């Protein structure tokens, strides 16, 4: 309001007024990129901000924005959208910018590979019981199938001699190959 009440030489002026609208400031909210291996939980997803007004910061907001993704621990390797939402403040209009979560392949290893190291020609087949930490199937091979022939998860004794048995897991789209054991 503009007001002038006059004095001994002047009559009062007509009051004037003007309505001023103060709009919320645009505040950019950026979801931060993240990564993790397949099979693990998502890391904490975070956001960062563009320019606040004056000496405001995230604690000046009524509700702070947060980042989220649809990816879960069982989501296969690839990239997934990370978005932000949830900010509230009468002084700011939130402009959200997404990012990605990169899910990479996971390490694996072979465990439980302990075949009987002594056999006699004519014995029953030997069982192979190795497993991969990924749950994928372990494959076996023999350096000398004339002595020990691999038949699935069994070693058929074919003759006297010596053979090296290899345990192998080549991985898949979600798991790196395991180190071979022998």
């Amino acid at each position: 309001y503009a007001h002038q009440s006059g004095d001994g030489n002047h009559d009062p002026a007509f009051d004037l007024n003007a309505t001023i609208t103060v709009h919320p400031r645009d505040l950019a909210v950026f979801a931060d990129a993240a990564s993790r291996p397949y099979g693990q939980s998502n890391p904490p997803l975070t956001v960062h901000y563009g320019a606040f007004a004056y000496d405001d910061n995230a604690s000046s907001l009524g509700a702070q924005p947060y980042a989220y993704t649809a990816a879960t621990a069982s989501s296969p390797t690839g990239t997934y959208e990370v978005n932000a939402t949830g900010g509230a403040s009468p002084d700011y209009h939130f402009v959200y910018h997404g990012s990605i979560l990169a899910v990479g392949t996971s390490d694996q290893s072979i465990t439980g590979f302990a075949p009987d190291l002594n056999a006699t020609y004519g014995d029953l087949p030997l069982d192979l019981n190795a497993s991969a930490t990924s749950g994928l199937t372990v494959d076996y091979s023999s350096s000398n199938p004339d002595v020990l022939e691999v038949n699935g998860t069994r070693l058929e004794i074919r003759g006297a001699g010596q053979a090296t048995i290899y345990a192998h897991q080549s991985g898949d789209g979600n798991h790196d190959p395991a180190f071979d054991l022998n």
Side-chain angles (χ1 to χ4, degrees), residues 116-126 147-148 156-161:
D116 188 347
L117 298 180
N118 293 300
T120 302
Y121 179 71
D123 282 353
L124 293 174
L126 304 172
V147 173
L148 291 172
E156 304 287 343
I157 301 169
R158 297 292 183 216

Side-chain angles (χ1 to χ4, degrees), residues 11-182:
D11 291 331
F14 290 102
D15 287 349
L16 298 176
N17 67 59
T19 300
I20 300 172
T21 302
V22 177
H23 298 281
R25 178 186 185 105
D26 282 351
L27 178 63
V29 179
F30 301 93
D32 295 321
S35 65
R36 66 164 174 82
Y38 169 78
Q40 292 189 8
S41 298
N42 291 332
L45 299 175
T46 58
V47 299
H48 68 276
Y49 302 94
F52 283 96
Y54 306 112
D55 59 351
D56 284 353
N57 57 43
S59 66
S60 306
L61 304 175
Q64 292 184 17
Y66 60 90
Y68 67 94
T69 184
T72 65
S74 61
S75 296
T77 59
T79 56
Y80 297 86
E81 289 184 10
V82 175
N83 294 298
T85 192
S89 171
D91 296 326
Y92 293 97
H93 169 258
F94 296 90
V95 180
Y96 297 108
H97 300 273
S99 188
I100 62 162
L101 169 68
V103 177
T105 56
S106 182
D107 292 336
Q108 66 167 330
S109 60
I110 297 172
T111 62
F113 184 60
D116 188 347
L117 298 180
N118 293 300
T120 302
Y121 179 71
D123 282 353
L124 293 174
L126 304 172
D127 290 325
L128 298 171
N129 297 316
S131 60
T133 56
S134 64
L136 297 172
T137 302
V138 175
D139 296 316
Y140 304 97
S141 61
S142 173
S143 66
N144 189 347
D146 293 333
V147 173
L148 291 172
E149 178 184 347
V150 174
N151 185 1
T153 59
R154 298 183 80 158
L155 289 175
E156 304 287 343
I157 301 169
R158 297 292 183 216
Q162 192 172 43
T164 300
I165 305 303
Y166 299 93
H168 177 78
Q169 205 325 295
S170 59
D172 63 8
N174 295 319
H175 300 90
D176 292 326
F179 289 106
D180 288 351
L181 298 179
N182 63 58

